[in-house]
Amino acid sequence: YRPFSIRENLTKTELVPNQKVLVRLVSFTGAADPVADVVEVIGEAGVHRTEMNAIVMEHGFRTEFPAEVAREAQEIEQNHASIIAAEARVRADYREVTTMTIDPVDAKDFDDALSLRPLENGEYEVGIHIADATFFVRPGTALDDEAVRRGTSVYLVDATIPMLPHELSGNVCSLRADEDRLAFSAVFRMNMQGHVLDRRFEKSIIRSNKRFTYEEAQAVLDAEAGPYAEELLTLRTIARAMRKSREHEGAIDFGDNEVKFVLDENGVPLGVVRKERIETNTLIEEFMLLANREVARHVTQLAEKVPEHGMVFLYRIHDEPKEDRIDELA
């Protein structure tokens, strides 16, 4: 190892022993120590937050957003009410339909919601609504450029590095209760046996009536009473029917081995526990799978109708695992 020679004259921050810093390499010939500039003081070595941020930076991620990205996000947040009101005039309106989000207790933002509306003949309209972030993140903006660079949000044990600034990820694009929000919706006419009788996909505006945690929604299901009990019980019946059908067709359930870390107030890990998987987890999974399946069918049918258009659809597969990975698993 060779120590860095810091160009003190270019360093505006006073450095003290035992600090971790992010540096930019200026020169290294091999004959002398590498020369670097200090870009950022991360914090005191050994402190939990310092070490977590150091790991993040070591892998090329940044926790802060560039000034122009922050400016664009703040401008959208300041004007989002008028933007949404104007957009509502050209979107399918589901604000009067009973809608809810069901997420982990520590969720900071809400990306998806379910709605339910009873129809005639014992049928129901089920809506799966996904926050429409793309409406606000337009090509050619600093927001879009930064999102492309990040590619995804990064989830750490006790923190998240979002792909989009908090003004969007935690507010404008989060399907918070009692607030108008833009969404992209997959809406299905269904029966209690979980069969899709009709479907449509559309840009929408929604208004969530209730933010449930998984545990809160489960308590309503267990008691068969409480806020929106009728809607939750109906959704459970449909989800159970869909799950039974998938299992009959050979679906595999891999979802029983997720763990979480228990930390103390300073972020020091105390233990690892298995996450409890309850029925509301599987309820949400079934409707998200439904939306994905039906979108895939819809796009495939469109492509078959107009092959001359050469439609391209981006999707993900799980390829055959490498033999050494199977050996490792065994």
Side-chain angles (χ1 to χ4, degrees), residues 15-301:
L15 301 178
V16 298
N18 203 40
Q19 281 182 328
K20 281 199 171 185
V21 296
L22 179 67
V23 300
R24 179 181 293 110
L25 183 65
V26 176
S27 64
F28 182 45
T29 63
D33 291 339
V35 178
D37 290 339
V38 173
V39 176
E40 183 178 336
V41 176
I42 305 173
E44 183 181 354
V47 175
H48 172 72
R49 183 49 52 201
T50 299
E51 300 301 334
M52 291 296 287
N53 285 339
I55 292 170
V56 166
M57 292 177 179
E58 185 179 358
H59 286 83
F61 299 107
R62 298 301 302 273
T63 56
E64 301 300 321
F65 285 92
E68 181 60 17
V69 175
R71 186 197 65 77
E72 288 181 359
Q74 290 162 7
E75 185 175 325
I76 290 172
E77 185 178 51
Q78 290 166 3
N79 300 304
H80 79 275
S82 58
I83 294 171
I84 291 175
E87 184 66 10
R89 294 195 287 268
V90 295
R91 289 186 173 234
D93 194 339
Y94 290 92
R95 287 176 290 185
E96 298 302 317
V97 182
T98 301
T99 303
M100 64 196 75
T101 61
I102 307 177
D103 291 279
V105 66
D106 56 354
K108 300 296 189 296
D109 52 73
F110 315 110
D111 301 329
D112 48 72
L114 291 178
S115 68
L116 186 73
R117 173 159 48 190
L119 304 173
E120 296 177 356
N121 304 321
E123 296 170 355
Y124 290 89
E125 178 189 87
V126 178
I128 296 116
H129 310 280
I130 310 299
D132 189 1
T134 56
F135 177 81
F136 298 99
V137 184
R138 301 298 181 91
T141 62
L143 273 168
D144 187 53
D145 292 342
E146 182 67 14
V148 169
R149 273 191 291 271
R150 294 186 176 222
T152 182
S153 297
V154 179
Y155 297 92
L156 307 174
V157 172
D158 64 342
T160 299
I161 305 170
M163 184 175 71
L164 301 175
H166 178 74
E167 291 88 347
L168 297 186
S169 62
N171 182 10
V172 177
C173 300
S174 182
L175 306 180
R176 304 200 302 198
D178 301 319
E179 297 187 30
D180 291 352
R181 288 293 182 262
L182 302 184
F184 217 110
S185 299
V187 183
F188 307 107
R189 182 165 62 88
M190 305 186 71
N191 58 27
M192 294 293 278
Q193 290 72 47
H195 299 143
V196 174
L197 308 174
D198 194 14
R199 68 184 180 208
R200 64 183 183 272
F201 307 99
E202 53 199 356
K203 293 182 178 181
S204 62
I205 182 168
I206 71 168
R207 188 177 181 88
S208 173
N209 300 98
K210 174 70 174 173
R211 179 275 203 259
F212 278 107
T213 66
Y214 284 122
E215 292 77 12
E216 288 170 345
Q218 188 64 52
V220 173
L221 290 175
D222 292 343
E224 297 187 358
Y228 302 102
E230 184 177 352
E231 288 84 359
L232 283 171
L233 289 165
T234 300
L235 289 169
R236 181 176 70 175
T237 299
I238 296 172
R240 282 178 172 178
M242 290 193 294
R243 187 174 186 82
K244 185 176 181 180
S245 176
R246 285 198 310 109
E247 290 173 347
H248 180 72
E249 294 170 0
I252 300 173
D253 183 3
F254 293 103
D256 197 31
N257 56 1
E258 192 175 355
V259 300
K260 65 178 179 180
F261 293 87
V262 180
L263 310 177
D264 69 11
E265 64 275 10
N266 298 314
V268 176
L270 302 177
V272 183
V273 297
R274 180 172 295 204
K275 285 187 177 180
E276 182 185 3
R277 196 155 174 258
I278 54 181
E279 191 171 18
T280 44
N281 293 108
T282 58
L283 183 154
I284 292 297
E285 287 172 7
E286 288 302 325
F287 286 107
M288 295 305 139
L289 285 169
L290 170 67
N292 279 279
R293 283 198 308 272
E294 293 300 324
V295 166
R297 289 194 178 108
H298 175 66
V299 172
T300 301
Q301 290 166 0

